[in-house]
Amino acid sequence: MKKILVTGGTVFVSRYVAEYFAKAGHEVYVLNRNHSPQPENTILIEADRHELGEKLRDYQFDAVLDVTAYDGQDVSDLLDALGEFKTYILISSSAVYPETERQPFTEDTPTGENRIWGKYGTDKIDAEKVLTARVPEAYILRPPYLYGPMNNVYREAFVFDCALQDRSFCLPKDGSMKLQFFHVKDLCRVMERILEEQPAQHILNVGNEEAVSIREWVDLCYEAFGKSPVYHEVWDQPNQRDYFSFYEYEYFLDVGRQRDLLPDTTDLVQGLKEAADWYLVHRDLVARKPYLTYIDDHILNRQS
């Protein structure tokens, strides 16, 4: 049993991480402001990570799983407040890679501004730099799009809504653009292996080895409800994000380092079924965006 600190713990990734390690038998502490229900079987440390004072000084953690650091100040303030700890794992992002670099992106690809992700990506770069400067032995994980149960972001849930309402699906162009995913459970499994094995490589791209087209992904989302989509291809909309849950940006990560730690990952069919089952019970926890309204007002009604 390890004593583990998880930053956040109230929504999607941080909540899933906290409950995953608690279910595995570890003593899990969550650091948040206590504005939301807490994950099961965890111990709350109620505080803002920027106003910690001495709240963490007397704790000795086997692992710090920093899921909610978005910039260098987030990392710096937490490190200033921590007492002793053994392993620090930061959840960064594939947004640290410039879209102009050669793909697939490897961990050796130079980081820099990505015009699609903008400040989010450069802030993550800053978080990585602060961490590696102060804790050179820390681990950094760079995932693509995360999905699975507890996802409060309107991605697969948007397609689930279309399936549940028996809507035709407005497909960006011919739907051939590729997307790379990673199940949140597999993210936890990678962290678990890192804590067990302490690998020599400290920066890891993580994700499914295979990307899928938008069309294939939507097919699988509908299939989770035993349905098949009827497609309406959209070629004349300048901003894909007005009516679809991903930017018009195709990229791919090389996950060879991850493969050495985690040879098997969750099958996308199974993972989307798990996400769909969770969504049916927790629809109110997802932050919806007005894609369907835009589709009805600017695509389908205009063309009818």
Side-chain angles (χ1 to χ4, degrees):
M1 183 184 74
K2 297 183 184 299
K3 183 179 287 190
I4 297 174
L5 175 66
V6 177
T7 61
T10 57
V11 294
F12 191 26
V13 180
S14 63
R15 187 179 192 90
Y16 193 102
V17 168
E19 293 194 1
Y20 178 92
F21 282 94
K23 287 176 183 176
H26 301 291
E27 185 177 332
V28 176
Y29 294 76
V30 291
L31 173 64
N32 62 65
R33 293 171 293 177
N34 198 22
H35 292 169
S36 303
Q38 298 300 318
E40 295 180 4
N41 301 314
T42 61
I43 303 163
L44 172 64
I45 301 174
E46 184 177 343
D48 186 310
R49 68 182 292 157
H50 299 294
E51 299 174 357
L52 287 166
E54 298 295 314
K55 289 198 173 185
L56 299 179
R57 194 69 64 196
D58 294 333
Y59 289 95
Q60 295 182 349
F61 295 110
D62 295 298
V64 175
L65 309 182
D66 195 352
V67 184
T68 60
Y70 292 98
D71 58 31
Q73 195 65 54
D74 289 344
V75 173
S76 182
D77 286 350
L78 182 61
L79 288 174
D80 288 345
L82 282 169
E84 293 185 23
F85 63 89
K86 293 180 181 177
T87 303
Y88 194 117
I89 302 177
L90 171 70
I91 306 303
S92 183
S93 170
S94 57
V96 301
Y97 297 119
E99 80 285 353
T100 52
E101 290 291 337
R102 184 177 179 179
Q103 297 190 33
F105 299 136
T106 72
E107 292 86 352
D108 296 322
T109 298
T111 60
E113 183 177 2
N114 182 301
R115 68 174 179 84
I116 303 298
W117 293 107
K119 187 175 185 297
Y120 172 76
T122 53
D123 281 351
K124 283 288 191 179
I125 293 171
D126 188 38
E128 291 188 7
K129 287 180 177 178
V130 170
L131 180 59
T132 53
R134 295 186 56 175
V135 188
E137 68 277 12
Y139 290 92
I140 294 170
L141 303 183
R142 296 171 176 165
Y145 295 113
L146 293 166
Y147 79 105
M150 302 187 190
N151 190 358
N152 65 315
V153 183
Y154 201 45
R155 287 177 178 160
E156 60 262 29
F158 161 59
V159 188
F160 294 160
D161 277 345
C162 292
L164 290 167
Q165 296 173 31
D166 291 316
R167 295 176 62 104
S168 61
F169 192 84
C170 286
L171 195 68
K173 299 183 172 63
D174 63 355
S176 62
M177 192 187 93
K178 297 283 189 177
L179 298 168
Q180 188 176 19
F181 292 98
F182 199 44
H183 196 292
V184 64
K185 177 173 61 181
D186 292 335
L187 181 71
C188 294
R189 293 171 65 211
V190 169
M191 290 192 283
E192 203 168 39
R193 297 289 176 86
I194 288 173
L195 296 180
E196 292 169 356
E197 301 181 22
Q198 298 289 307
Q201 300 288 353
H202 285 253
I203 299 178
L204 291 90
N205 291 338
V206 294
N208 293 348
E209 287 202 58
E210 300 295 330
V212 295
S213 70
I214 294 174
R215 186 183 287 265
E216 290 169 329
W217 178 70
V218 173
D219 281 345
L220 294 178
C221 288
Y222 273 71
E223 185 181 310
F225 296 99
K227 300 183 179 186
S228 297
V230 174
Y231 286 112
H232 178 97
E233 293 186 2
V234 179
W235 293 85
D236 61 349
Q237 293 293 318
N239 185 0
Q240 183 170 294
R241 280 300 298 271
D242 285 338
Y243 66 95
F244 185 62
S245 46
F246 295 92
Y247 289 110
E248 189 174 359
Y249 170 48
E250 180 177 286
Y251 69 93
F252 189 64
L253 301 174
D254 181 306
V255 294
R257 289 185 183 178
Q258 170 198 292
R259 193 185 310 119
D260 294 336
L261 279 177
L262 192 71
D264 63 304
T265 56
T266 302
D267 179 80
L268 195 55
V269 174
Q270 175 190 338
L272 285 171
K273 186 63 170 67
E274 293 174 6
D277 290 344
W278 177 86
Y279 182 62
L280 286 175
V281 181
H282 302 93
R283 295 189 208 189
D284 58 318
L285 299 182
V286 176
R288 284 176 174 77
K289 291 184 177 292
Y291 301 136
L292 296 177
T293 300
Y294 186 91
I295 287 168
D296 290 341
D297 291 346
H298 297 278
I299 300 176
L300 297 182
N301 287 349
R302 193 187 68 183
Q303 297 179 6
S304 61

